[in-house]
Amino acid sequence: MKVGFALVLLWSLPITNVLAELPQPQNLTLLTLNTQYVLTWDWDQTTTGNSVTFTVEYMAKYKMKMKMKNWSRVCERTTRTLCDLTGSDLHYLGMYVLRVRASADGVNSHWVNKDFCPDIDASLGPPSRVELAPVGNLLDVTISDPLTSTQHSMKEHVLFLYYRILYWSRSDDPQGLKPKVLDSSNNLVTLPELEAWTWYCVMIQSRYDYYNKTSSYTEPQCMQTEGDTPYGQIFLYFLVSMMVCFLLVLLPSYTFFRFYRVLKNTFYPSIQLPAHIQEYLCDSSPGSDMPRLLTADSEAELCCDKLTICPEVVLLEIHVPPSLTAPPSELEQDSGRHIRQDSGDSGIYSTEGGSAQQGRSGGEPIRRDQEVDSWQTLEQVKMEEMGRESADERDLDEGVVDVCV
């Protein structure tokens, strides 16, 4: 009996050694920020190679005390050495037990447990946003609360959350080695005891004293305070506003006015043409010599209307009888005087003066009434020729009329 028991014991030893060869995960660590939780661990890849997988589960701690075995599995057969628990809906004030084991070739390691309470163990993040605004010679600081994984304020979970504000003058302390400190739980804080027209830098930290939680500081943000506006700056603003007014109002108005003047002077000039030129330009009768476009029919018609044959110019001599009161000597001196007059269209003149000359050369006496009639005829011919020239100058041909007295 003793020999058989010893053989069974020796046969079972190799199996126990094989099971004990798969090590456990080591150094379980939680990386947390507000309500974001990531569980990590260490694993030596040289022991089993790359074929090992891991399983992560969690359960509320009060259930373990009640010996309830309803574990919630988060990561199963994962090859990574981390597991994200953010979406597991862990209550911020709850207490949980997390466990991890390794598996390779159907062999599982022992579970490794770790207690976790977000209210105690989770890290607190800095403010999600910081804004600075000058108010006279002061600065208003607007602080946005840290946010959860669902984009809600962390003050819903941490009721006594407050902020530590560090601020310093950039000109007096460029490195911020001796900043002023101000604690406040408000989201809008006004920094006191500041100088006008001075640059100040601000950093803010989230704090929770119950579990001694502190976040990292935000990046430094700088802003210049304001104050009474200097007179030189007011004058500069005035000049700039005047230039803007000139460019945006006066210059377009002047351009429009000049353009209007050009159009008005072009289409409605202030100096009007003379009346006879306007009548000439407005004359649209067929007989007008106003330049215009011609069609084939109108051109032929115009050529036929304008075709004229000018007769040969005849020089007409008219002898005017001397006045009855003039002495014979004066009449003889004036007999060599000649008056030139342009001829008309017909070129036909009365030869009544010539007949009178022939009669006088023949020795016949000239009657007084005939002399008067000849003088009136000469005056009438001169008046008709002058009227005909002013009415239609383009159709007249030049002629010479010699009038001998």
Side-chain angles (χ1 to χ4, degrees), residues 152-211:
H152 292 85
S153 173
M154 277 299 296
K155 284 187 176 181
E156 297 178 1
H157 305 294
V158 182
L159 300 180
F160 300 102
L161 178 68
Y162 71 96
Y163 305 103
R164 173 158 292 180
I165 304 173
L166 304 182
Y167 63 98
W168 65 94
S169 173
R170 195 168 66 177
S171 58
D172 298 337
D173 188 10
Q175 302 298 327
L177 301 178
K178 297 179 180 179
K180 297 179 180 181
V181 180
L182 177 64
D183 293 337
S184 176
S185 60
N186 299 323
N187 295 99
L188 180 61
V189 180
T190 301
L191 302 181
E193 300 178 1
L194 303 182
E195 297 179 359
W197 307 109
T198 305
W199 283 89
Y200 288 91
C201 297
V202 177
M203 293 193 312
I204 303 178
Q205 178 190 56
S206 302
R207 300 178 69 89
Y208 179 41
D209 291 340
Y210 189 80
Y211 289 112

Side-chain angles (χ1 to χ4, degrees), residues 66-329:
M66 298 174 61
K67 297 182 179 180
M68 299 174 62
K69 301 298 182 181
N70 52 345
W71 290 87
S72 298
R73 184 163 294 182
V74 183
C75 298
E76 183 177 7
R77 298 181 181 277
T78 179
T79 58
R80 299 188 301 173
T81 59
L82 60 87
C83 182
D84 191 357
L85 303 173
T86 301
S88 300
D89 195 20
L90 301 180
H91 197 276
Y92 192 78
L93 300 179
M95 299 183 67
Y96 300 91
V97 177
L98 312 179
R99 67 179 186 177
V100 183
R101 75 177 180 184
S103 302
D105 299 328
V107 179
N108 299 325
S109 68
H110 294 291
W111 291 98
V112 180
N113 297 338
K114 183 176 179 59
D115 294 338
F116 175 58
C117 177
D119 188 30
I120 300 173
D121 302 322
S123 301
L124 189 62
S128 57
R129 186 174 60 182
V130 176
E131 295 179 353
L132 304 180
V135 182
N137 60 342
L138 302 177
L139 281 179
D140 280 348
V141 182
T142 303
I143 306 172
S144 298
D145 297 330
L147 299 177
T148 65
S149 58
T150 57
Q151 303 301 312
H152 292 85
S153 173
M154 277 299 296
K155 284 187 176 181
E156 297 178 1
H157 305 294
V158 182
L159 300 180
F160 300 102
L161 178 68
Y162 71 96
Y163 305 103
R164 173 158 292 180
I165 304 173
L166 304 182
Y167 63 98
W168 65 94
S169 173
R170 195 168 66 177
S171 58
D172 298 337
D173 188 10
Q175 302 298 327
L177 301 178
K178 297 179 180 179
K180 297 179 180 181
V181 180
L182 177 64
D183 293 337
S184 176
S185 60
N186 299 323
N187 295 99
L188 180 61
V189 180
T190 301
L191 302 181
E193 300 178 1
L194 303 182
E195 297 179 359
W197 307 109
T198 305
W199 283 89
Y200 288 91
C201 297
V202 177
M203 293 193 312
I204 303 178
Q205 178 190 56
S206 302
R207 300 178 69 89
Y208 179 41
D209 291 340
Y210 189 80
Y211 289 112
N212 197 22
K213 286 186 178 183
T214 57
S215 72
S216 59
Y217 282 96
T218 59
E219 292 294 328
Q221 297 188 30
C222 301
M223 179 68 66
Q224 186 183 26
T225 58
E226 297 178 351
D228 296 335
T229 306
Y231 292 107
Q233 189 174 359
I234 295 175
F235 182 70
L236 180 62
Y237 289 161
F238 175 74
L239 292 181
V240 172
S241 62
M242 290 294 292
M243 293 180 62
V244 172
C245 179
F246 175 76
L247 294 177
L248 298 181
V249 179
L250 298 182
L251 187 59
S253 300
Y254 176 75
T255 304
F256 175 77
F257 176 73
R258 295 295 301 174
F259 182 71
Y260 170 76
R261 290 291 301 273
V262 171
L263 291 180
K264 181 179 179 182
N265 293 334
T266 302
F267 295 100
Y268 302 98
S270 58
I271 302 176
Q272 300 294 331
L273 294 174
H276 65 280
I277 297 180
Q278 292 185 6
E279 292 178 358
Y280 170 74
L281 295 176
C282 297
D283 188 7
S284 59
S285 61
S288 174
D289 59 349
M290 174 69 181
R292 60 183 179 274
L293 295 177
L294 301 176
T295 60
D297 297 339
S298 62
E299 184 177 1
E301 200 175 283
L302 182 62
C303 291
C304 294
D305 293 342
K306 294 298 180 179
L307 182 60
T308 56
I309 299 175
C310 299
E312 183 180 358
V313 177
V314 179
L315 298 179
L316 178 63
E317 291 186 1
I318 300 176
H319 299 274
V320 180
S323 176
L324 295 178
T325 59
S329 60

